[in-house]
C-alpha cells in the first residue's frame, strides 16, 4: 500500500526473477478482462534496465544479468525475446531459465533455422496480447 509504480516494478521483478532494475519508467496500462474466470485486471507496464551483480574482480566487466525462476508455481520460464519475436509468436531461444520438466511443449518447429531452438509464444498472457494490440509490430517507445 502506498508503493510507487517504479518501486513496485523493482520489487516484483526482484521477487520473481532475481533481476535488479534501474532506470524504471511507465510504458502503458492495459484493461484485461479474463472472461471465463470473471476476472478484471488493469495491468501497468513499466520498463527498466536489468543490471548485473558486481564483477568478481575490478578488472573484469560485470556478467550479463541472468533471470532465475523463483516462482515456478506462477511462471513456466524466463527468456529474453525481442518485441518482433513476441508479435510473431516464436522466438529463438538465446538464454532461458526454467525447469526442464515444465519446458516440454514450449518448443515447436516454426520453420526457423535448423540449428536454433525455437520457443512457441503463441499463447501469451492476456495483458501482453493487449499490449501488442496497442502498439502493433513497432512496439512501445523505449527511449
Amino acid at each position: 500500500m502506498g508503493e510507487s509504480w517504479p518501486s513496485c516494478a523493482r520489487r516484483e521483478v526482484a521477487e520473481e526473477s532475481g533481476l535488479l532494475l534501474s532506470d524504471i519508467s511507465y510504458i502503458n496500462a492495459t484493461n484485461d478482462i479474463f472472461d471465463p474466470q470473471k476476472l478484471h485486471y488493469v495491468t501497468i507496464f513499466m520498463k527498466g534496465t536489468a543490471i548485473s551483480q558486481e564483477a568478481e574482480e575490478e578488472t573484469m566487466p560485470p556478467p550479463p544479468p541472468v533471470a532465475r525462476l523463483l516462482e515456478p508455481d506462477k511462471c513456466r520460464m524466463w527468456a529474453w525475446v525481442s518485441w518482433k519475436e513476441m508479435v510473431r509468436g516464436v522466438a529463438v531461444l538465446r538464454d532461458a531459465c526454467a525447469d526442464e520438466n515444465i519446458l516440454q511443449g514450449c518448443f515447436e518447429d516454426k520453420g526457423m533455422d535448423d540449428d536454433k531452438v525455437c520457443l512457441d509464444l503463441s499463447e501469451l498472457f492476456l495483458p501482453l496480447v493487449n499490449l501488442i494490440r496497442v502498439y502493433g509490430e513497432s512496439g512501445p517507445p523505449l527511449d
Side-chain angles (χ1 to χ4, degrees):
M1 182 100 138
E3 186 175 32
S4 71
W5 292 351
S7 294
C8 179
R10 181 178 290 110
R11 178 183 52 75
E12 286 289 332
V13 168
E15 287 174 5
E16 295 174 14
S17 71
L19 291 172
L20 305 177
L21 292 183
S22 68
D23 304 319
I24 302 168
S25 61
Y26 173 81
I27 292 178
N28 206 328
T30 57
N31 192 28
D32 309 306
I33 299 170
F34 297 82
D35 190 32
Q37 299 95 337
K38 297 191 183 326
L39 296 173
H40 182 191
Y41 290 178
V42 174
T43 306
I44 301 164
F45 285 91
M46 306 293 286
K47 69 174 180 163
T49 302
I51 55 177
S52 298
Q53 302 295 336
E54 297 298 315
E56 290 181 23
E57 298 177 23
E58 288 182 28
T59 58
M60 298 174 63
V66 176
R68 297 186 320 256
L69 192 59
L70 299 178
E71 295 183 340
D73 56 318
K74 295 180 182 177
C75 176
R76 257 199 256 187
M77 69 181 299
W78 294 114
W80 298 109
V81 300
S82 71
W83 181 265
K84 288 186 191 281
E85 288 172 321
M86 205 164 46
V87 169
R88 191 173 60 196
V90 63
V92 173
L93 191 60
R94 295 169 194 78
D95 180 24
C97 171
D99 179 328
E100 292 289 328
N101 298 320
I102 294 173
L103 283 180
Q104 293 181 4
C106 290
F107 302 99
E108 205 171 284
D109 181 9
K110 296 276 189 171
M112 302 286 278
D113 295 341
D114 290 337
D115 63 336
K116 295 182 178 154
V117 176
C118 297
L119 180 62
D120 180 6
L121 301 175
S122 61
E123 295 184 29
L124 292 172
F125 187 50
L126 180 61
L128 287 173
V129 171
N130 288 338
L131 192 66
I132 290 169
R133 286 184 183 136
V134 171
Y135 289 106
E137 289 194 22
S138 62
L142 296 179
D143 46 0

